[in-house]
Amino acid sequence: MSTTTTIVTRGDSKIARSTKRVEPIYYLFLLPSLILFTLAITVPAVMGIFFSFTDSIGIGDWSFNGLTNYIAAFGDPAILQSYLFTFGFSLATVIVVNVIAFLLAVGLTSRIRFKTGLRTIFVIPMVISGIIIAYVFNFLFSNSIPALGTATGMEWLQTSILASPDLAWVAIVIVTAWQAIPGTLLIYIAGLLSVPGEVYEAADIDGATKLQQLTRITLPLVAGYVVINVILGFKGFLNAYDIIVGLTGGGPGTATRSVAMTIITGFNGGDYAYQMANATIFFVVAILISLLQLSMTRGRNAL
């Protein structure tokens, strides 16, 4: 990138303006990534939206059917249930993850022993595959915990939570939070370490308690990091798939079937165009949520 200086004359004064010009070589370096992104993301997305207006099953002949798929999707109870579950699960998980991660970050940045080792231990779940985590917890919920309930005589533990249509979502929230907390924790640690120590020293001199320092100093100063974690978390949880597949398979029945799982199951079941319409709707909903989040946070809590 080169800089060009231009002299602008205003009356009797001269003002120097610098203009940055991008060298062509930068566009050449950008080209491979742009081509890969277009072929892997943009082209399939455009083709999917195109086929959502057809009766295609993914292969063979097809014909246009207009908005038939979209009209049917809006009146499909299974699709509406998947949206209700996905948004409810995402909201609950965002709250659980951020509360626990923030409290852990406060503890791991305080003056405690072995905090470096504890930080390493707490981030281990982040590097484990979600499907592996789901299968491990599936065994715990289905075998270990009921066996513990039988041995101790606790009847409420003797039945797997995964078998309950009303409680299976709790297990998904627990497992998803267990994997998501480390990433959120690292962001909060970075935010807490950026707060000047002099602020807390002044608060100690003024006689502020630890709770007052947490609510009136720490939280306001790391509010930008809270916003980041909430946006990233909610966006990620909307796409929940692997943990649900390994933990409940969408069951019992369809009680824990997410939007992503509904779409992929439909692809495998021959409802390609119909679920592509569902995917397009979900894409538009995700964009609207992102725009809403940006409008609510724009100009505030900037890092």
Side-chain angles (χ1 to χ4, degrees):
M1 183 176 293
S2 61
T3 302
T4 303
T5 302
T6 305
I7 305 299
V8 180
T9 303
R10 289 184 179 178
D12 297 332
S13 61
K14 293 184 178 180
I15 303 174
R17 291 181 179 178
S18 59
T19 303
K20 293 183 178 180
R21 185 173 62 87
V22 179
E23 297 291 343
I25 190 66
Y26 287 100
Y27 294 112
L28 182 62
F29 287 138
L30 179 64
L31 188 60
S33 299
L34 183 61
I35 293 175
L36 289 175
F37 181 85
T38 302
L39 294 178
I41 304 295
T42 306
V43 172
V46 172
M47 292 178 61
I49 294 174
F50 172 82
F51 280 110
S52 69
F53 296 98
T54 70
D55 59 359
S56 173
I57 61 172
I59 57 174
D61 297 332
W62 52 268
S63 60
F64 285 102
N65 59 5
L67 298 175
T68 302
N69 293 327
Y70 290 89
I71 296 173
F74 279 111
D76 190 336
I79 290 181
L80 296 178
Q81 169 62 28
S82 68
Y83 275 86
L84 181 62
F85 167 77
T86 301
F87 284 107
F89 152 78
S90 300
L91 181 61
T93 309
V94 162
I95 295 173
V96 171
V97 168
N98 280 274
V99 170
I100 296 178
F102 180 77
L103 294 177
L104 286 175
V106 171
L108 293 175
T109 53
S110 61
R111 298 175 182 177
I112 61 174
R113 300 178 63 184
F114 310 115
K115 61 182 179 182
T116 302
L118 289 174
R119 290 179 188 176
T120 303
I121 294 174
F122 278 118
V123 299
I124 289 177
M126 187 173 63
V127 299
I128 303 177
S129 170
I131 194 69
I132 294 177
I133 293 173
Y135 282 131
V136 171
F137 274 91
N138 188 317
F139 181 83
L140 293 176
F141 286 127
S142 301
N143 298 279
S144 302
I145 294 179
L148 177 63
T150 302
T152 57
M154 299 180 182
E155 295 184 2
W156 61 278
L157 283 179
Q158 295 176 13
T159 303
S160 173
I161 191 176
L162 301 179
S164 172
D166 298 325
L167 297 176
W169 68 273
V170 177
I172 298 175
V173 170
I174 292 173
V175 178
T176 304
W178 191 81
Q179 186 190 35
I181 285 174
T184 308
L185 171 66
L186 292 177
I187 294 177
Y188 279 135
I189 288 177
L192 292 172
L193 293 178
S194 67
V195 178
E198 294 82 1
V199 177
Y200 295 106
E201 294 176 2
D204 287 331
I205 295 174
D206 291 338
T209 64
K210 294 299 181 182
L211 181 59
Q212 290 175 330
Q213 293 180 22
L214 177 65
T215 57
R216 299 183 182 182
I217 297 177
T218 305
L219 276 175
L221 291 178
V222 300
Y225 296 87
V226 176
V227 172
I228 290 174
N229 279 326
V230 169
I231 293 177
L232 292 179
F234 196 79
K235 175 181 175 296
F237 300 144
L238 286 178
N239 298 318
Y241 177 74
D242 53 350
I243 288 180
I244 297 177
V245 170
L247 202 59
T248 65
T254 58
T256 59
R257 179 171 289 185
S258 66
V259 177
M261 191 174 182
T262 301
I263 293 171
I264 295 176
T265 302
F267 287 164
N268 297 331
D271 289 333
Y272 175 77
Y274 181 56
Q275 291 302 332
M276 191 56 70
N278 185 19
T280 303
I281 295 171
F282 190 52
F283 173 69
V284 173
V285 170
I287 290 178
L288 293 177
I289 292 175
S290 300
L291 293 176
L292 178 61
Q293 290 175 326
L294 289 174
S295 65
M296 294 175 62
T297 59
R298 183 177 293 133
R300 294 180 293 176
N301 302 325
L303 294 180

